[in-house]
Amino acid sequence: MTDIAIIGGGPAGLSAAINARIRNKTVLLVTNDYKDSYLAKAERVDNYLGLPGLGGQELMEQFRKHAESQGVEEVNKRVISVMPMGESFFLSYESEVAEAKTIILTTGVVPAGKLPGEGEFLGKGVSYCATCDGMLYRGRKVVVVGKSADAVEEANYLHEIGCQVTFVADKEGTRGLAEGVELVTAKRLEIRGDKAAEALIADGREIPADGIFILRQAISPQDIMQGIQVENGSIVTNKRMETSIPGVFAAGDCTGRPYQIAKAVGEGQVAALYAAEYIDKMKKEN
Ligand SMILES: Cc1cc2nc3c(=O)[nH]c(=O)nc-3n(C[C@H](O)[C@H](O)[C@H](O)COP(=O)(O)OP(=O)(O)OC[C@H]3O[C@@H](n4cnc5c(N)ncnc54)[C@H](O)[C@@H]3O)c2cc1C
């Protein structure tokens, strides 16, 4: 079992990972591609102490090299859920699962706004992961709402396993869809159903579906970790970066403003130190 699973590999996650390794803890860092970090989008950073004038990608590369030198291994997958299991946690990232003693959430800012019906039908026909749930819909109609970089690949995978796939994009220019996958461009989306999702309404057109896969880069903290306390979209923490769930810590943009690298790095460090302390305490008690 891993000591600390870190979800998100931006400055907060990498800082947490380095500090956890320095505390001699084993680390599993699961993250989307590093280019999805907000930092990778910054043209030039002038307010990070000691390293002025670097581009965001350059700074990320420095952070990642540092993490690598501490033995941090990165798994490039999207985490779908984390579930408490007694004294540990199970996290599922696409088709894989892992067990960890503690969790540090460093998922950055999640753009607000779910589709109407999304929350109501999540787990009842609505899924965030084609690789995890695709097999349930073999031979049936599915819609992929493609908002992530790998959405086309996931739609093609569903087609390959025998689903009848409609891909819905919000702008023109989707490339790479397998032959047989229908492409619809629409902006206003809504999920309708009764006990389970039955259709996606796309700019007024009804697309019947047994499964609706909403593929975004980021998933809101409450959807990853049921029951975690969130206020105005940010995870509530104390000064030790503890969340409302014992053993779960959070750091960086996901805990709220200011959205800055130095804050993310500092909080990542604090989260790792208290996660390490939590593990040591549990060990003594057992
Ligand atoms: C254009 C721009 C310019 C900026 N300029 C500056 C600046 O000059 N100075 C400054 O201090 N700050 C700047 N910022 C802000 C800074 O980039 C952020 O505050 C910082 O990146 C936050 O780090 P983080 O680790 O909390 O989140 P992020 O850097 O956003 O990293 C979070 C990572 O977690 C991943 N993730 C999310 N959900 C999941 C999941 N379910 N499974 C796996 N991975 C997941 C994300 O894809 C991402 O890679 C800028 C931001 C932008 C957008």
Side-chain angles (χ1 to χ4, degrees):
M1 188 193 326
T2 305
D3 288 327
I4 305 179
I6 299 169
I7 304 171
L14 290 168
S15 167
I18 288 162
N19 284 284
R21 291 294 303 134
I22 287 169
R23 281 293 169 116
N24 212 20
K25 299 299 175 211
T26 53
V27 169
L28 171 66
L29 174 67
V30 189
T31 182
N32 290 325
D33 192 282
Y34 77 98
K35 293 195 185 90
D36 292 325
S37 157
Y38 267 25
L39 176 53
K41 302 182 200 315
E43 210 177 305
R44 181 188 157 103
V45 177
D46 281 320
N47 68 336
Y48 191 68
L49 186 67
L51 295 167
L54 294 186
Q57 290 226 15
E58 242 178 314
L59 195 51
M60 266 302 276
E61 268 155 35
Q62 300 258 23
F63 290 166
R64 294 177 79 235
K65 264 196 210 140
H66 185 179
E68 212 178 297
S69 74
Q70 292 294 334
V72 176
E73 279 177 39
E74 208 180 278
V75 176
N76 279 141
K77 297 247 154 100
R78 181 164 40 239
V79 174
I80 308 298
S81 70
V82 177
M83 296 220 294
M85 288 283 171
E87 290 189 345
S88 63
F89 298 89
F90 275 90
L91 66 155
S92 71
Y93 41 107
E94 296 171 32
S95 57
E96 292 178 47
V97 286
E99 191 179 3
K101 292 176 189 162
T102 59
I103 302 287
I104 303 180
L105 295 165
T106 56
T107 47
V109 173
V110 176
K114 281 189 180 176
L115 303 182
E118 179 179 332
E120 186 185 344
F121 295 117
L122 184 61
K124 297 175 198 149
V126 171
S127 166
Y128 293 144
C129 178
T131 316
C132 323
D133 296 333
M135 280 297 180
L136 301 172
Y137 298 96
R138 241 182 151 161
R140 296 161 77 189
K141 286 186 179 159
V142 301
V143 172
V144 172
V145 178
K147 292 175 182 287
S148 65
D150 60 356
V152 166
E153 216 175 283
E154 297 277 281
N156 290 347
Y157 160 75
L158 290 168
H159 174 70
E160 216 175 279
I161 63 170
C163 300
Q164 298 160 47
V165 185
T166 304
F167 188 92
V168 179
D170 58 5
K171 45 184 181 290
E172 305 282 340
T174 301
R175 305 247 181 286
L177 284 173
E179 210 173 298
V181 176
E182 189 193 354
L183 173 64
V184 171
T185 308
K187 287 202 185 319
R188 276 177 305 104
L189 306 179
E190 182 185 341
I191 296 161
R192 289 214 191 128
D194 181 17
K195 290 198 174 78
E198 290 170 0
L200 181 82
I201 314 296
D203 281 350
R205 170 184 161 191
E206 181 170 319
I207 308 171
D210 302 300
I212 298 172
F213 292 89
I214 303 173
L215 305 181
R216 298 191 183 92
Q217 282 312 98
I219 302 172
S220 75
Q222 306 99 300
D223 289 327
I224 294 180
M225 181 105 230
Q226 300 259 316
I228 197 164
Q229 193 187 349
V230 168
E231 260 173 37
N232 301 322
S234 304
I235 302 172
V236 176
T237 61
N238 60 18
K239 282 196 168 174
R240 298 157 65 101
M241 308 320 296
E242 292 165 320
T243 70
S244 58
I245 299 175
V248 179
F249 300 76
D253 282 3
C254 66
T255 69
R257 289 173 193 278
Y259 299 145
Q260 297 276 273
I261 305 158
K263 171 191 172 273
V265 167
E267 287 188 355
Q269 191 240 3
V270 173
L273 294 188
Y274 286 109
E277 187 188 280
Y278 177 91
I279 293 167
D280 294 342
K281 223 166 154 185
M282 273 199 356
K283 207 160 140 195
K284 271 192 206 143
E285 282 168 11
N286 288 332

